[in-house]
Amino acid sequence: MFKSLRLKLTLTNTVVTGLIFLILLSGVYFFMKQSLTRQSENMMRSIALNDRFRYTPFIERASHLDTNYFFVMVDSVGNIVNISTNLTNSYEEIYILVDETMKIDEDFGNIRIEGINFRFLKSYSNFRKDLLKIVYFNTQPEEQMLKNLLTIIISIGIFTVIVTFISSFFTANKALIPIKKSWQRQKDFVADASHELRTPLAVVQTNLELVMSNKEDTIESQLCWLDNIKAENARMTNLVNDLLFIARSDSNEAQIEMSNFPLDIVCKETIMSFRLLCENKNIEIFEDIKPDVNFYGNEARIKQLITILADNAIKYTPPGGYIKISLRQLDTSVQIVVSDTGIGIPQEHQSKIFERFYRVDSSRSSESGGSGLGLSIAKIIVNEHNGHINVTSAPNRGSQFSVTLPLKRKPFRER
Ligand code: ADP
């Protein structure tokens, strides 16, 4: 897939660059051609006007002229009565040339004699109205010049196309790196998500088969299988919700709504919702919440963030330990810190735990219902609020997750 994309990108680039060059260079060529023609035409006109033939000596001195320009004067019966001196052609050639020119009705044009192209301009002498002056220009040097220019232009064009093709081939590869990465990430994400869903689905399937193989038994006697199904179902629901959250944030689908809300109250409410769980697990929960902290953000998401961190702290802290949640207000930011005295995270894992589906000990984590998505969701929420999250932890001593969020207040609006 990427090979054909790379080729397409390269070809598009080459064709576009080639076309631009073609337009530019053909512009240069036609401009040059036109200006040369105009230049020779002007010269011919000035030679025609410079009428010094009061008398009619057979040969007029014209050493001042470029040898490509010459003129002849023809009388009313078609005899040549004057020829400029700067001729490089033989008189025979001139007679043929004049003969052929006289056959043409136009006053200005081109004529080809014995393989040589001439431009001509006919005009009547100011002093002798019966004398026709024909100025010629040998266009061969001009043609040669244009031919050389065309060769240069074609060479530059071919060179540019080749260079563009080669450079585009390599730059296309570079341009594809982020696309490849995101494609790979998406593929991994789908693979991981399917893998995560496979286990609860298998558990549901086996438990359902067990229930159905004992059709005569009562629901009560089969409650343990049904409980398993319920638990796995709840786990799948959580997982699907998490996956949906990540997928939506990846696609930047919805702009999250921000408002001012009391962060201290949200912290306290979240802590309250965990008290029973802590009690059941014999874990003490402490709080150090600064009162009256107003924060501008998305209340539901901030609550979800604190819930993820508190839930992890409880999940990875053995009975007898404690967790602490604190809220501080700094000059331009607020800081939420969730610390525990749990199993801790080895140094080498600390930078990876915010990655999707990353778990330090997958068997332990999935035992406690973890899918490895909690902290990646926490990071997304922190990013949405332009904050940052970091962890300090030591194995068997505990962990501390610290979230710093900038205090961005909504401008005060008078009602
Ligand atoms: P999970 O759903 O598996 O907990 P998370 O993304 O929330 O996924 O966490 C990723 C991993 O980080 C966990 O599997 C766990 O190994 C580790 N972890 C997170 N929080 C803590 C904590 N408070 N103490 C120890 N390990 C933690």
Side-chain angles (χ1 to χ4, degrees):
M1 178 189 139
F2 284 107
K3 265 188 189 164
S4 73
L5 196 62
R6 183 184 185 183
L7 196 67
K8 263 187 207 162
L9 267 176
T10 309
L11 287 178
T12 315
N13 225 356
T14 312
V15 169
V16 170
T17 317
L19 276 177
I20 293 173
F21 255 81
L22 188 74
I23 293 167
L24 271 178
L25 296 180
S26 44
V28 169
Y29 178 80
F30 286 109
F31 173 78
M32 196 69 185
K33 190 174 174 180
Q34 272 216 324
S35 79
L36 282 175
T37 311
R38 213 175 304 125
Q39 200 180 323
S40 66
E41 196 185 327
N42 288 343
M43 185 68 180
M44 286 163 84
R45 285 194 193 284
S46 86
I47 295 169
L49 281 173
N50 189 2
D51 198 347
R52 297 182 289 166
F53 311 103
R54 292 160 198 270
Y55 317 103
T56 54
F58 188 66
I59 291 179
E60 172 71 14
R61 282 181 59 79
S63 52
H64 59 288
L65 283 184
D66 178 331
T67 51
N68 293 315
Y69 294 92
F70 57 90
F71 57 84
V72 294
M73 298 195 79
V74 184
D75 65 13
S76 51
V77 284
N79 293 323
I80 295 175
V81 293
N82 206 332
I83 297 181
S84 60
T85 53
N86 60 332
L87 278 181
T88 50
N89 304 69
S90 64
Y91 285 128
E92 288 81 60
E93 277 172 353
I94 298 299
Y95 283 121
I96 299 170
L97 180 62
V98 172
D99 246 22
E100 292 300 318
T101 313
M102 291 302 286
K103 287 179 194 161
I104 301 172
D105 288 337
E106 279 95 36
D107 289 340
F108 184 76
N110 291 299
I111 186 165
R112 188 175 173 82
I113 300 293
E114 290 173 5
I116 302 170
N117 288 324
F118 294 94
R119 196 165 289 146
F120 65 84
L121 175 71
K122 299 178 197 167
S123 61
Y124 283 95
S125 163
N126 288 333
F127 301 99
R128 293 270 308 267
K129 293 292 177 198
D130 58 328
L131 290 183
L132 180 68
K133 184 176 183 182
I134 311 173
V135 181
Y136 287 99
F137 170 59
N138 182 345
T139 58
Q140 221 171 12
E142 185 186 289
E143 280 161 21
Q144 190 56 46
M145 201 172 169
L146 287 172
K147 224 176 179 177
N148 291 346
L149 184 68
L150 199 65
T151 314
I152 293 170
I153 282 175
I154 290 172
S155 313
I156 292 176
I158 292 172
F159 179 76
T160 311
V161 165
I162 293 171
V163 168
T164 312
F165 184 85
I166 295 169
S167 62
S168 301
F169 194 70
F170 290 104
T171 47
N173 209 26
K174 242 186 170 176
L176 281 176
I177 290 173
I179 302 170
K180 272 186 191 167
K181 271 190 186 161
S182 123
W183 172 255
Q184 190 56 43
R185 234 167 77 117
Q186 213 57 30
K187 253 172 63 177
D188 291 348
F189 184 61
V190 173
D192 287 338
S194 329
H195 183 77
E196 285 302 320
L197 282 168
R198 223 166 28 199
T199 319
L201 277 173
V203 177
V204 168
Q205 178 75 16
T206 354
N207 282 279
L208 267 178
E209 278 167 11
L210 271 169
V211 173
M212 290 179 79
S213 63
N214 302 314
K215 285 193 180 79
E216 312 306 319
D217 288 2
T218 60
I219 290 182
E220 199 174 2
S221 67
Q222 305 225 48
L223 216 53
C224 69
W225 315 129
L226 294 172
D227 273 345
N228 282 349
I229 294 172
K230 194 179 163 197
E232 290 307 317
N233 196 43
R235 190 173 154 165
M236 276 195 287
T237 309
N238 284 340
L239 185 61
V240 168
N241 284 338
D242 286 353
L243 290 173
L244 216 62
F245 182 99
I246 292 177
R248 281 199 184 127
S249 81
D250 273 355
S251 62
N252 292 325
E253 224 175 54
Q255 193 72 24
I256 61 159
E257 274 184 30
M258 303 280 193
S259 61
N260 277 314
F261 66 89
L263 184 55
D264 53 320
I265 309 256
V266 169
C267 286
K268 278 180 182 283
E269 279 173 2
T270 317
I271 294 166
M272 188 61 91
S273 69
F274 279 107
R275 285 212 183 274
L276 187 66
L277 183 65
C278 287
E279 216 172 281
N280 289 343
K281 229 191 137 183
N282 190 24
I283 291 171
E284 272 203 82
I285 183 163
F286 297 103
E287 60 175 63
D288 174 15
I289 307 295
K290 170 146 191 338
D292 302 324
V293 177
N294 245 303
F295 183 71
Y296 181 66
N298 184 291
E299 186 173 341
R301 297 217 171 176
I302 295 292
K303 197 166 184 161
Q304 190 179 0
L305 166 71
I306 305 166
T307 305
I308 291 169
L309 298 179
D311 187 48
N312 274 352
I314 298 166
K315 234 168 26 185
Y316 300 108
T317 300
Y322 70 83
I323 71 166
K324 185 177 169 189
I325 299 174
S326 50
L327 171 69
R328 286 175 219 147
Q329 179 161 5
L330 310 171
D331 280 349
T332 56
S333 59
V334 287
Q335 198 178 40
I336 303 164
V337 181
V338 179
S339 45
D340 63 61
T341 56
I343 58 169
I345 304 160
Q347 183 72 39
E348 66 271 24
H349 295 282
Q350 287 176 17
S351 59
K352 298 180 191 152
I353 53 173
F354 296 99
E355 287 171 15
R356 290 165 191 188
F357 295 106
Y358 192 84
R359 289 176 291 203
V360 174
D361 179 351
S362 52
S363 60
R364 189 169 187 162
S365 168
S366 47
E367 236 173 60
S368 49
S371 59
L373 289 176
L375 287 179
S376 53
I377 292 177
K379 192 160 174 122
I380 290 172
I381 298 172
V382 171
N383 286 345
E384 280 170 349
H385 289 81
N386 300 321
H388 53 89
I389 180 167
N390 56 18
V391 58
T392 46
S393 183
N396 300 319
R397 291 185 57 190
S399 314
Q400 178 173 303
F401 285 86
S402 161
V403 175
T404 309
L405 303 169
L407 270 172
K408 249 191 327 183
R409 282 180 204 286
K410 198 179 174 191
F412 177 74
R413 253 193 251 145
E414 274 185 74
R415 294 186 193 187

